[in-house]
């Protein structure tokens, strides 16, 4: 490579003093025209050798400043030093090839994307467990799925956009083939690491929170973990064996407009779980989606008959809970029956003898008092004339 090759990124920088622009200019000069991962890696090594003027195998602060200048950078000395410090991650005063690769092609926003994906799945597990243990039914499961779709839109889409901008090394608001190679490589690397973390998460959810470990014991617990680790390794080998073909196929399935460039919306669809493009994107990469990973986990659990065992255990628990409630319910029923019998007896007595004599409405105004003789005669006469007619008649 000649010095003139490195200057092709000057236009992308626009002569500005932005550290991000300087970083992208270096990356653009490296990947321009690469059509495979091996070509990209070779270009990086060639550029690194040019920047490593003394051939020490590492780039010093002075060599880094010289490389920036050769690309037409207008960074101040302090800005260049800060940028160097970002690249020198171990702080040894020089930049190795590995550090330069991470500096130019790192994907911090993709790392955040997968962290959020783990958090959302953990939250979904809590919601699923609540719906299962409290028997909330199909509507609760539907509500949970709708919640997850909205969460993807709110929390994942901004990170996808940031990652898209980070990988747009040429600065033309699209990802060309050479840029997509870096993007796909970074995505797959993070995805495969994601599976390793998800094995732990799935084991925690299925075996601990749902109570499977109490049923199967530690030996079968470890057996399932081994199977899933083998499954993840198989995914990794399938991808790595046909890496360039996978990248090309993934590019084709995302490039809806067939213009040879990937737009932001095409990348968003490819990285949003649950969409058709998401499933096809992963299929072309020879990697499974999270839903397929979870299905594999469930399949391994079901092979051991654990689903049936947990269902039997749950039914037994329900019966025990019902039986525990039975004595209390029986006592309430007996009290209610006693109350009904008592009321029936009272009504029957009233029907036979009339209302109670001591009821205020049935008391004589003279009850408990000495009645005057003339009043007693008047009462007697009044009764005689009302009920039996006049003595004279």
């Amino acid at each position: 490579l000649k010095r003139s090759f490195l200057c092709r990124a000057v236009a992308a920088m626009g002569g500005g003093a932005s550290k991000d622009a300087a970083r992208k200019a270096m990356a653009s000069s490296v990947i321009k025209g690469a059509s495979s991962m091996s070509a990209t890696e070779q270009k990086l090594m060639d550029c690194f050798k040019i920047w490593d003027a003394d051939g020490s195998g590492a780039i010093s602060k002075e060599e880094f400043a010289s490389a920036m200048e050769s690309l037409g950078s207008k960074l101040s000395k302090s800005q260049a030093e800060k940028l160097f410090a970002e690249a020198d991650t171990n702080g040894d005063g020089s930049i190795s090839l590995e550090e330069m690769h991470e500096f130019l092609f790192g994907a911090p926003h993709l790392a955040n994307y997968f962290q959020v994906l783990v958090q959302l799945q953990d939250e979904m597990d809590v919601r699923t467990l609540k719906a299962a243990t409290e028997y909330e039914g199909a509507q609760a499961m539907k509500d949970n799925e709708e919640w997850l779709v909205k969460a993807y839109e709110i929390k994942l889409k901004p990170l996808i956009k940031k990652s898209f901008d980070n990988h747009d090394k040429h600065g033309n608001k699209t990802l060309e083939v050479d840029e997509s190679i870096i993007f796909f490589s970074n995505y797959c690397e993070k995805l495969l690491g994601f599976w390793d973390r998800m094995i732990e998460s799935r084991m925690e959810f299925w075996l601990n929170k749902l109570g499977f470990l109490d049923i199967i014991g530690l030996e079968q617990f470890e057996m399932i973990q081994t199977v899933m680790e083998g499954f993840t390794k198989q995914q990794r080998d399938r991808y790595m064996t046909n890496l360039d073909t996978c990248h090309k196929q993934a590019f084709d399935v995302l490039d809806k407009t067939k213009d040879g460039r990937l737009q932001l919306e095409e990348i968003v669809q490819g990285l949003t779980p649950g969409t058709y493009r998401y499933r096809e994107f992963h299929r072309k990469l020879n990697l499974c989606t999270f839903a397929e990973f979870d299905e594999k986990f469930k399949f391994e659990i079901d092979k051991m008959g654990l689903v049936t065992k947990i269902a039997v255990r749950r039914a037994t628990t329900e019966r025990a809970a019902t039986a525990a409630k039975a004595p209390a319910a029986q006592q309430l029923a007996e009290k209610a029956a006693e109350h009904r019998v008592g009321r029936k007896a009272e009504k029957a007595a009233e029907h036979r003898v009339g209302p109670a004599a001591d009821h205020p409405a049935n008391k004589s105004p003279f009850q408990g008092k000495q009645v005057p003789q003339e009043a007693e005669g008047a009462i007697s006469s009044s009764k005689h004339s009302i009920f039996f007619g006049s003595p004279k008649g």
Side-chain angles (χ1 to χ4, degrees):
L1 292 178
K2 296 182 179 181
R3 181 185 178 89
S4 60
F5 171 78
L6 300 177
C7 296
R8 289 188 293 182
V10 172
M13 291 179 59
S18 166
K19 290 194 300 178
D20 186 56
R23 186 200 308 264
K24 285 188 174 184
M26 293 189 78
S28 178
S29 71
V30 171
I31 67 173
K32 192 66 177 178
S35 59
S36 67
M37 194 64 210
S38 58
T40 301
E41 292 172 348
Q42 185 61 52
K43 282 176 172 288
L44 175 60
M45 287 189 288
D46 291 341
C47 288
F48 189 85
K49 288 178 181 178
I50 293 175
W51 296 333
D52 177 22
D54 64 2
S56 64
I59 297 175
S60 66
K61 187 179 296 185
E62 293 73 20
E63 289 170 333
F64 182 80
S66 177
M68 288 286 97
E69 184 179 353
S70 71
L71 293 171
S73 170
K74 301 300 182 182
L75 292 177
S76 66
K77 183 179 179 180
S78 62
Q79 287 177 320
E81 289 178 350
K82 288 180 180 178
L83 200 59
F84 178 87
E86 290 180 15
D88 180 21
T89 54
N90 65 5
D92 66 354
S94 63
I95 302 173
S96 66
L97 179 61
E98 292 75 15
E99 288 175 324
M100 181 60 75
H101 182 280
E102 182 62 23
F103 173 70
L104 298 180
F105 306 130
H109 304 301
L110 274 180
N112 293 338
Y113 165 90
F114 282 105
Q115 287 176 0
V116 170
L117 203 57
V118 170
Q119 292 169 4
L120 291 179
Q121 188 55 52
D122 288 343
E123 174 64 21
M124 187 63 175
D125 285 345
V126 171
R127 290 169 174 264
T128 300
L129 184 60
K130 181 176 182 294
T133 54
E134 297 182 9
Y135 310 103
E136 295 178 348
Q139 184 58 47
M141 299 302 293
K142 182 179 179 181
D143 292 344
N144 289 342
E145 291 173 1
E146 292 176 354
W147 168 84
L148 190 58
V149 170
K150 291 179 181 177
Y152 287 153
E153 176 71 18
I154 295 171
K155 296 188 176 182
L156 288 185
K157 190 171 181 178
L159 293 173
I160 296 173
K161 184 181 185 305
K162 288 180 180 179
S163 185
F164 177 88
D165 293 339
N166 178 59
H167 287 86
D168 177 21
K169 306 302 184 183
H170 303 322
N172 57 5
K173 306 300 182 183
T174 63
L175 296 188
E176 298 180 18
V177 172
D178 49 11
E179 295 167 311
S180 74
I181 292 171
I182 299 300
F183 176 78
F184 294 151
S185 176
N186 282 334
Y187 180 82
C188 293
E189 177 190 353
K190 298 291 188 294
L191 177 63
L192 290 166
F194 173 69
W195 292 144
D196 293 336
R197 294 195 300 274
M198 287 311 297
I199 289 176
E200 298 177 6
S201 176
R202 297 292 83 195
M203 298 292 281
E204 170 67 19
F205 177 68
W206 281 93
L207 302 180
N208 286 345
K209 292 184 179 178
L210 291 185
F212 282 20
L213 182 58
D214 294 341
I215 295 175
I216 66 174
L218 185 59
E219 184 177 349
Q220 288 179 300
F221 181 101
E222 293 175 344
M223 188 183 302
I224 294 175
Q225 185 173 359
T226 300
V227 170
M228 293 308 299
E229 288 172 350
F231 177 72
T232 301
K233 182 179 183 303
Q234 183 184 42
Q235 295 276 305
R236 189 188 306 274
D237 292 344
R238 286 175 56 193
Y239 165 70
M240 294 300 296
T241 302
N242 302 287
L243 184 144
D244 290 327
T245 300
C246 290
H247 290 173
K248 183 179 184 304
Q249 292 176 345
F251 188 97
D252 291 341
V253 80
L254 293 183
D255 184 17
K256 292 171 61 178
T257 59
K258 303 304 177 186
D259 61 354
R261 296 178 177 183
L262 299 180
Q263 310 294 328
L264 172 60
E265 190 54 38
E266 292 171 332
I267 294 294
V268 168
Q269 291 182 13
L271 267 64
T272 302
T275 66
Y276 167 78
R277 295 286 170 186
Y278 178 79
R279 293 189 294 271
E280 286 299 298
F281 173 56
H282 286 78
R283 189 168 68 86
K284 296 301 183 181
L285 290 172
N286 277 340
L287 297 171
C288 68
T289 65
F290 173 76
E292 292 166 343
F293 181 88
D294 219 26
E295 285 301 317
K296 170 65 176 176
F297 204 105
K298 293 175 186 176
F299 175 75
E300 293 301 326
I301 287 175
D302 195 40
K303 276 172 58 176
M304 296 185 178
L306 300 182
V307 174
T308 301
K309 290 179 181 179
I310 200 67
V312 170
R313 179 181 180 180
R314 181 172 293 171
T316 302
T317 302
E318 289 178 14
R319 286 195 296 270
T322 302
K325 295 177 181 178
Q330 185 175 355
Q331 289 177 4
L332 290 174
E334 290 176 353
K335 288 183 178 180
E338 290 175 0
H339 180 71
R340 289 194 299 270
V341 171
R343 289 295 301 153
K344 287 182 179 179
E346 290 177 4
K347 289 182 178 180
E350 289 180 1
H351 180 73
R352 289 193 302 270
V353 301
D358 59 351
H359 192 281
N362 300 316
K363 287 184 178 181
S364 166
F366 301 106
Q367 185 173 340
K369 300 180 181 180
Q370 185 176 359
V371 183
Q373 186 174 0
E374 56 272 22
E376 186 176 351
I379 294 172
S380 176
S381 173
S382 173
K383 288 181 179 180
H384 184 79
S385 60
I386 291 174
F387 297 105
F388 302 102
S390 172
K392 295 181 179 179

